[in-house]
Amino acid sequence: MLSLKLPQLLQVHQVPRVFWEDGIMSGYRRPTSSALDCVLSSFQMTNETVNIWTHFLPTWYFLWRLLALAGGPGFRAEPYHWPLLVFLLPACLYPFASCCAHTFSSMSPRMRHICYFLDYGALSLYSLVSWSWKALGSVRSSAQEPSPIHSCSTTSHSFIGSGCAGAGATAVGRRP
């Protein structure tokens, strides 16, 4: 029968300073853990366990939602579904990258930096796509319901008699 021993946990003073977290005094993994030790440590209470599982579970939820939507009838044929696909891919990627970063960051100081670099990159990609998704939604809604703000043009000839002289412009379209 296969018997796996869980890795020993350390106190804060037993690990290099680069691994220290503010307020965390115990539960550190060895800074030279193997990949297997890192995976096994996700099943014991370390200083990273909650981070690992709170990113691992949403990864599978978002992946399940992506596959459910993509496998539906007509998903690929409908052009309005493609932005949703572009949004859901980073929504699956960023919690997975974060889960991997928290799981494997105790292999070495260099691996820690690489893991968190990839984690921050995935989070940045998600933020960019999320912001773009929101911007796309506001553009689509403003195209359907024009507002007075969007009807004002910034060219100088539109200020004459239009009542849209804003942001320091005078009635003839020049700044004072």
Side-chain angles (χ1 to χ4, degrees):
M1 180 155 160
L2 181 62
S3 172
L4 297 174
K5 185 179 175 190
L6 293 174
Q8 177 187 3
L9 299 179
L10 306 173
Q11 300 294 318
V12 69
H13 61 83
Q14 296 173 305
V15 295
R17 198 163 189 61
V18 70
F19 290 95
W20 290 11
E21 298 288 338
D22 291 337
I24 308 291
M25 303 308 288
S26 62
Y28 288 92
R29 299 172 289 171
R30 279 186 309 114
T32 57
S33 298
S34 67
L36 179 61
D37 286 344
C38 291
V39 171
L40 289 176
S41 71
S42 64
F43 295 101
Q44 67 185 126
M45 281 307 294
T46 69
N47 63 335
E48 293 287 359
T49 304
V50 173
N51 288 325
I52 292 169
W53 286 100
T54 57
H55 291 94
F56 182 73
L57 296 175
T59 297
W60 292 106
Y61 172 75
F62 289 129
L63 189 60
W64 170 67
R65 293 301 303 154
L66 173 65
L67 295 175
L69 289 170
F75 182 82
R76 292 183 186 106
E78 184 63 51
Y80 291 109
H81 289 160
W82 288 100
L84 179 61
L85 178 67
V86 169
F87 173 74
L88 282 176
L89 286 174
C92 294
L93 177 67
Y94 95 85
F96 178 73
S98 188
C99 175
C100 289
H102 290 287
T103 302
F104 299 109
S105 65
S106 66
M107 292 179 75
S108 71
R110 183 171 186 208
M111 188 65 165
R112 179 180 176 85
H113 293 298
I114 291 170
C115 285
Y116 286 113
F117 175 80
L118 295 174
D119 180 24
Y120 298 149
L123 184 60
S124 297
L125 177 65
Y126 172 74
S127 298
L128 176 68
V129 170
S130 177
W131 178 83
S132 301
W133 178 263
K134 184 175 178 167
L136 177 65
S138 66
V139 168
R140 289 188 67 210
S141 67
S142 68
Q144 294 167 357
E145 300 174 15
S147 69
I149 296 172
H150 291 99
S151 64
C152 293
S153 175
T154 59
T155 57
S156 62
H157 60 79
S158 66
F159 286 114
I160 301 173
S162 70
C164 291
T170 62
V172 292
R174 286 183 250 134
R175 296 191 184 275

